[in-house]
Amino acid sequence: MIWYPYTQMKTMDEPIKIIGAEGIYLHTETQKLIDTTSSWWSVIHGYNNPELNAVLKEQVDVFSHVMLGGLTHDPVEKLSDKLKDMLPGDLNYCFYSDSGSVAVEVSLKMAIQYFFNQNKPLKKGIIALEHAYHGDTFKTMAVGDDEDYHLAFPEKEGVYHIKPDDAALESILIHHHETIAALIVEPLLQGAGGMKIYDVSFLEKAKQLCERYDVLLIFDEVATGFGRTGHRFVSDLVCPDIIVLGKALTAGYIGHAATVASEKIYQGFYSDNPDHALMHGPTFMGNPLACTVALKSFEIFEREDYLSKIKHIEAKLKENFKSFESNKVREVRILGGCLCIEVNDPKGLKGFKQYALKHGIHSRPFINYIYGMFPYIISDDALNKVCKVYKKWFEEIK
Ligand SMILES: Cc1ncc(COP(=O)(O)O)c(C=O)c1O
């Protein structure tokens, strides 16, 4: 018996059985559905990409896994070199994990221990944003701020939540910087907390303030990385001390994530004292299949100029929703390859999923949001069709 995610098992709808997947489509026994979720925003090249399939098959025949404890291999070395080249500033030191949540945990451990290693054990508090979502493990729930996800786990000790507002940040830093290790944000676009978008100026100011008050800046780019906001990484605009990557890192093929630290952070652990080491080591970190598929995915991303594709998706979405109005809708938000329609009342989304299915679209609305996090290979026709169906829903509901 399967226990499904984020679901009341007693009342859940029958899950849709997928028997195949190709490009932007999920195949059921009877339908080809346009997938608007990119499987939780990870499948950026679409499903069943022949190039990704080929490199995986090749690597399986070499070896599919060895631990990274005391061993190393070409795929992980190449991926680390590539990330060092791709990422801005001196974000050079890659620590791998098997999921975004764990990679965020690692970033928080890095930040807290960075100060512990300097004999500043009181600096272990974390500032995060209201509506933040950073994962489902304990510390990521604590820095998260969404009771729709984590109602039964309200512990927030040592965590401050603020709006993305310079004055609010400065006020906390002035009073508490001696007990604060880091500010963690989903930069520009807050995903699971409601696809909320804020301005880059907050990040610019946050970086200055963090430097002034000796607090580390962590960008959780698990969702925003690899083009989702229209930028390759938001870190290309403002460079943090630590970046966390996941989801699209491996193009939705294999769960993997990376926590990449700057020189300053790495040097905070690099010493003759064994107690200064980072004590973490997921069994599947640096998995060769994951590294191999990530490398090929980056190659396609660069070769096919995905940033132009994403700009085009953004323009098409804006065109589609230019004159859209509905008294059921609070706001339509569009950024890069992301569309969010926020409704006034979640009851207004009852039946939407079935409606979309009837029109050949797989959509997964949550709380009061309908969203589209499209594979970047989506055609104009498919995108226009999705927008048309989404808009029509609001015309047809009473
Ligand atoms: C910003 C952000 N951080 C972390 C995570 C957790 O990643 P994972 O589901 O791979 O644990 C997510 C997942 O949605 C996310 O959106």
Side-chain angles (χ1 to χ4, degrees):
M1 178 77 190
I2 300 168
W3 198 332
Y4 286 93
Y6 302 123
T7 297
Q8 173 47 263
M9 295 297 293
K10 187 168 179 186
T11 54
M12 77 180 273
D13 295 335
E14 189 66 22
I16 305 162
K17 180 95 169 233
I18 301 305
I19 58 166
E22 188 88 44
I24 61 165
Y25 294 101
L26 296 172
H27 300 181
T28 71
E29 290 286 358
T30 54
Q31 275 186 298
K32 256 178 84 177
L33 301 169
I34 298 175
D35 182 27
T36 63
T37 69
S38 299
S39 277
W40 276 329
W41 329 338
S42 62
V43 183
I44 54 174
H45 308 290
Y47 297 94
N48 222 345
N49 177 289
E51 286 184 84
L52 299 177
N53 292 358
V55 291
L56 274 173
K57 285 174 189 161
E58 227 173 85
Q59 181 60 39
V60 164
D61 283 338
V62 183
F63 55 94
S64 54
H65 185 60
V66 295
M67 67 177 178
L68 219 50
L71 304 175
T72 192
H73 49 82
D74 274 349
V76 77
E77 288 178 358
K78 285 187 186 149
L79 178 61
S80 308
D81 287 347
K82 182 68 190 171
L83 282 169
K84 179 172 183 287
D85 286 350
M86 277 181 106
L87 292 171
D90 61 359
L91 290 166
N92 292 344
Y93 299 93
C94 306
F95 191 97
Y96 297 98
S97 340
D98 29 29
S99 74
S101 301
V102 174
V104 173
E105 292 279 348
V106 170
S107 74
L108 298 169
K109 282 178 73 171
M110 276 180 184
I112 292 168
Q113 193 179 340
Y114 171 81
F115 290 109
F116 184 89
N117 287 356
Q118 294 176 28
N119 288 324
K120 293 179 184 165
L122 294 180
K123 272 177 88 68
K124 59 183 181 183
I126 305 289
I127 306 175
L129 295 184
E130 289 178 9
H131 304 293
Y133 175 85
H134 293 289
D136 296 333
T137 52
F138 270 88
K139 192 68 180 175
T140 62
M141 287 194 294
V143 295
D145 174 44
D146 207 319
E147 58 182 36
D148 290 309
Y149 289 88
H150 302 136
L151 187 61
F153 305 97
E155 294 78 11
K156 304 278 174 202
E157 204 192 323
V159 177
Y160 301 87
H161 283 106
I162 57 164
K163 294 191 167 34
D165 170 76
D166 325 337
L169 176 60
E170 187 157 21
S171 158
I172 296 213
L173 288 173
I174 287 171
H175 294 106
H176 301 287
H177 66 96
E178 282 172 0
T179 58
I180 289 176
L183 164 67
I184 183 166
V185 297
E186 294 157 272
L188 286 192
L189 172 68
Q190 297 183 282
M195 311 282 166
K196 298 191 182 345
I197 298 166
Y198 60 87
D199 199 78
V200 69
S201 60
F202 170 70
L203 299 174
E204 288 160 353
K205 194 72 209 272
K207 183 174 162 94
Q208 289 169 12
L209 288 169
C210 285
E211 275 170 8
R212 190 181 313 154
Y213 289 98
D214 194 21
V215 161
L216 303 179
L217 182 58
I218 303 172
F219 280 4
D220 174 356
E221 294 224 46
V222 168
T224 56
F226 302 100
R228 189 50 70 188
T229 66
H231 307 280
R232 203 176 49 147
F233 305 103
V234 182
S235 302
D236 288 329
L237 309 180
V238 176
C239 190
D241 296 296
I242 302 173
I243 182 175
V244 187
L245 301 169
K247 293 191 185 281
L249 173 72
T250 43
Y253 267 68
I254 297 177
H256 222 65
T259 309
V260 188
S262 66
E263 186 69 42
K264 174 173 108 174
I265 306 303
Y266 185 73
Q267 289 305 328
F269 289 75
Y270 194 81
S271 85
D272 293 321
N273 185 345
D275 292 342
H276 285 179
L278 179 63
M279 297 307 281
H280 204 97
T283 302
F284 293 105
M285 69 182 294
N287 172 268
L289 297 173
C291 295
T292 301
V293 82
L295 279 162
K296 186 50 90 177
S297 171
F298 301 170
E299 188 189 312
I300 301 172
F301 191 99
E302 286 168 349
R303 188 188 71 211
E304 303 293 324
D305 189 12
Y306 270 36
L307 289 180
S308 299
K309 284 189 199 299
I310 297 159
K311 267 204 175 63
H312 181 76
I313 291 172
E314 184 182 78
K316 282 277 151 210
L317 289 171
K318 286 187 172 158
E319 197 179 297
N320 268 287
F321 282 91
K322 199 168 55 194
S323 46
F324 171 73
E325 270 179 29
S326 161
N327 59 8
K328 316 264 180 339
V329 171
R330 184 174 299 162
E331 192 177 37
V332 177
R333 297 190 278 276
I334 293 165
L335 183 69
C338 169
L339 162 71
C340 172
I341 304 171
E342 179 173 348
V343 298
N344 292 314
D345 182 350
K347 287 195 210 96
L349 295 183
K350 199 164 179 310
F352 172 76
K353 190 175 169 183
Q354 296 311 321
Y355 178 85
L357 278 177
K358 208 173 73 193
H359 290 87
I361 292 168
H362 172 240
S363 178
R364 189 177 150 88
F366 66 102
I367 319 168
N368 34 340
Y369 312 100
I370 295 177
Y371 75 86
M373 288 277 204
F374 304 98
Y376 302 147
I377 57 157
I378 193 165
S379 67
D380 286 359
D381 280 354
L383 199 60
N384 290 338
K385 175 176 170 177
V386 171
C387 294
K388 199 166 149 198
V389 170
Y390 280 15
K391 288 189 290 187
K392 213 154 180 346
W393 163 258
F394 292 102
E395 284 165 26
E396 290 183 13
I397 52 170
K398 302 279 166 317

